[in-house]
Amino acid sequence: MFVVVGLFIPGAFEGTGENLIIYGIKQGFMFGAGLIVMLQGVRMLINQIVPAFKGISEKIVPNALPAFDCPILFNYKPNAVLIGFLTAMITSTAIILICNYFNVFSILLIPLVITSFFECGTAAVIGEGQGGLRGAIVGTATSAVIMVALVGFSAVIFSGTIQNWILIFGGNDLSLFGIIAKLIASLFGGF
């Protein structure tokens, strides 16, 4: 992915003093290593925190089940995560280019790498479990289109507050609930 970006944007790696291909491969390895460290850290945290809260939950909320974040599903179908990430990046980037060209949201959207990996990768794991490879691709592509739409609408709604932040870290949950909160607040005359 880094090499492809470097080929399309030749000036992206100019200040590095390295060969474009080698620099892109090194960046890919750094991304992979960071991802492994993150997933291992999540696994270690979950292994420590679940038993700690089990005693508390048995006294306050008997038979409660712990809730986990998206990366906990990645271990079940790691290939689906990669398929989902690539599908989401291609789909969302194509939709973003179309939206930016036609100025659909009156703001310049950028591809959401983090959301494409975490949320769309999770959609691919679930999609593959339900419909195989086709389910992973179709589910992820649908999730990517919804992701771009939600980020675009929420960026317009949050134009006076967190617009720049949501353009980078706009997850589907944050974007959707932000839009709903804005609509509820406008019913009461606020914001």
Side-chain angles (χ1 to χ4, degrees), residues 84-100 105 109-117 120 140-149 151 172:
F85 174 63
L86 292 174
T87 303
M89 280 304 297
I90 292 167
T91 305
S92 65
T93 302
I95 298 296
I96 285 172
L97 289 173
I98 292 168
C99 289
N100 287 343
F105 298 109
L109 298 177
I110 57 176
L112 297 169
V113 178
I114 295 169
T115 308
S116 291
F117 182 75
C120 295
T140 304
T142 304
S143 178
V145 170
I146 292 169
M147 171 184 67
V148 172
V151 168
N172 292 346

Side-chain angles (χ1 to χ4, degrees), residues 44-156:
M44 288 171 48
L45 176 69
I46 288 171
N47 288 338
Q48 296 297 319
I49 205 165
V50 168
F53 282 106
K54 188 167 178 67
I56 296 169
S57 68
E58 287 299 322
K59 294 190 186 309
I60 297 173
V61 186
N63 300 322
L65 296 174
F68 300 117
D69 200 9
C70 298
I72 198 69
L73 296 177
F74 291 176
N75 294 329
Y76 295 108
K77 297 196 179 281
N79 290 339
V81 176
L82 294 175
I83 291 168
F85 174 63
L86 292 174
T87 303
M89 280 304 297
I90 292 167
T91 305
S92 65
T93 302
I95 298 296
I96 285 172
L97 289 173
I98 292 168
C99 289
N100 287 343
Y101 182 78
F102 291 107
N103 201 20
V104 173
F105 298 109
S106 300
I107 188 165
L108 184 66
L109 298 177
I110 57 176
L112 297 169
V113 178
I114 295 169
T115 308
S116 291
F117 182 75
F118 284 104
E119 294 181 7
C120 295
T122 305
V125 171
I126 295 168
E128 185 180 3
Q130 298 297 313
L133 179 61
R134 182 177 178 194
I137 293 172
V138 171
T140 304
T142 304
S143 178
V145 170
I146 292 169
M147 171 184 67
V148 172
L150 285 174
V151 168
F153 288 124
S154 62
V156 171

